[in-house]
Amino acid sequence: MPAQGLLHGIPVAVKDLIDTRDMPTTYGTPVYAGHRPAWDAPCVSHARVAGAVVLGKTVSTELAYFTPGKTANPRNTAHTPGGSSSGSAAAVADGMAPLALGTQTAGSVIRPAAFCGVVGYKPSLGVISRVGVKALSETLDTVGVMARSVSDVALFAAAVSGRHELVIDTPSDRAPRVGICRTFDWQRAQPEAQAAMTLAIQKLGAAGVTLMDVDLPPNYSGLVRAQLDIMAWEMARALAYEWHAHRARLSQKLQDLLAGGWALPPERYESAVTLARNCRRAVGELFANVDVLLTSSAMGEAPRGLDATGDPLFNRIWTL
């Protein structure tokens, strides 16, 4: 049979935060046990139309926050796979599916992809439709994709976004100019993360890539706090039904976040939104002399234990 789309015959896994018409979507919480949406989210619908076979749903943390599900890291099952797209990263890493959909509000695509040793891509806000995805934060929520290679990620993103220019047809004919960006929190990176960055720099240099250090503007130092405030404020309001009607069925971690979001002064939320807007306007300055930035995707290797999913510190400013 001739190919009938970019993803013809390719199995795809879908995070359990994303609606599917033929499989339950529980958003990682018993509040929605057995929930059956009547439709596919557009990202799932696009994948099907492109020829993909939706293999199944993958475990999400509770409402895509920090309380983990039952997934372990396939590289070492004593360690977390990260979150909140835990199952998607693990499924791709373990060879269960070559492609998987995830979502990110803080670090929920990039961190689990890093912990499980696969490629995670969190595109710009809105590149892949968020309709049909359990809403947490209007400012931050992003649909992302995972695969085992950059070219596969690009193909998948092109198919589910309708932006076929994302497909990598041929390698670039020139080496990129790479900016090394350690951010204001670099001192909190664990030794293995710093070693990975050093090794990457050495390999890029040996390959003839132009390298230069890129420092973030001073006002970027407030972006981690701003992301935390925006996420808490917007999640509290997005999950108002769950808070008012099912609070006792939510984990203590999630209850604490939502309580903090309700208690946050409006002016603090508005200040965080303004800072984010101003920093976005100036982001082009970071790329004045470079094509891409190289930065850390996680604080270190996947932590041991399955009762937590790791810290998304190094993802927060880029998500915002």
Side-chain angles (χ1 to χ4, degrees):
M1 176 185 290
Q4 297 179 353
L6 287 177
L7 305 179
H8 182 72
I10 300 176
V12 169
V14 178
K15 182 180 181 178
D16 191 31
L17 205 72
I18 302 172
D19 288 345
T20 45
R21 58 176 166 76
D22 54 353
M23 301 174 190
T25 304
T26 71
Y27 313 124
T29 171
V31 172
Y32 292 101
H35 172 57
R36 298 294 293 260
W39 66 323
D40 283 334
C43 58
V44 176
S45 182
H46 287 319
R48 293 191 201 267
V49 170
V53 178
V54 177
L55 189 64
K57 305 299 285 287
T58 59
V59 169
S60 168
T61 62
E62 177 201 28
L63 288 161
Y65 193 53
F66 285 139
T67 301
K70 57 189 176 182
T71 311
N73 193 315
R75 307 291 183 181
N76 185 329
T77 56
H79 292 249
T80 179
S84 61
S85 305
S86 317
S88 289
V92 172
D94 202 44
M96 296 178 183
L99 305 175
L101 286 165
T103 66
Q104 179 157 314
T105 305
S108 293
V109 169
I110 300 301
R111 184 169 86 266
F115 283 174
C116 292
V118 300
V119 179
Y121 173 50
K122 189 218 81 73
S124 297
L125 187 70
V127 168
I128 300 173
S129 174
R130 300 182 295 174
V131 173
V133 179
K134 180 64 172 171
L136 304 174
S137 168
E138 182 66 24
T139 302
L140 303 167
D141 289 349
T142 311
V143 177
V145 297
M146 298 183 191
R148 290 192 287 274
S149 71
V150 172
S151 57
D152 283 356
V153 156
L155 181 77
F156 192 22
V160 296
S161 68
R163 296 180 56 159
H164 286 210
E165 70 273 15
L166 293 175
V167 175
I168 301 173
D169 292 320
T170 57
S172 174
D173 58 1
R174 69 173 181 84
R177 300 168 301 165
V178 176
I180 311 303
C181 185
R182 293 180 174 83
T183 79
F184 295 102
D185 294 297
W186 181 243
Q187 72 280 1
R188 294 183 60 187
Q190 294 167 9
E192 62 269 23
Q194 296 195 12
M197 176 80 92
T198 299
L199 180 61
I201 293 168
Q202 292 171 348
K203 288 186 173 182
L204 288 168
V209 171
T210 300
L211 298 166
M212 61 189 74
D213 288 322
V214 173
D215 296 323
L216 296 176
N219 62 337
Y220 273 57
S221 64
L223 284 179
V224 169
R225 181 70 261 168
Q227 192 276 340
L228 285 160
D229 287 348
I230 291 170
M231 187 170 77
W233 172 280
E234 294 186 354
M235 282 187 67
R237 284 145 185 85
L239 300 178
Y241 166 72
E242 291 82 0
W243 173 254
H244 292 301
H246 296 283
R247 191 178 312 178
R249 303 180 74 183
L250 304 179
S251 70
Q252 191 60 52
K253 287 181 182 178
L254 185 53
Q255 287 188 46
D256 290 346
L257 171 80
L258 300 181
W262 287 115
L264 199 70
E267 58 272 17
R268 185 161 145 183
Y269 167 73
E270 290 161 4
S271 175
V273 170
T274 298
L275 175 62
R277 185 183 302 119
N278 291 338
C279 289
R280 286 193 200 109
R281 287 172 178 162
V283 75
E285 299 171 10
L286 299 178
F287 296 91
N289 299 304
V290 299
D291 301 302
V292 296
L293 297 178
L294 177 68
T295 191
S296 183
S297 54
M299 292 181 67
E301 295 178 347
R304 186 176 183 85
L306 301 178
D307 57 347
T309 61
D311 191 328
L313 173 66
F314 284 113
N315 311 131
R316 291 188 186 276
I317 65 170
W318 308 114
T319 301
L320 183 57

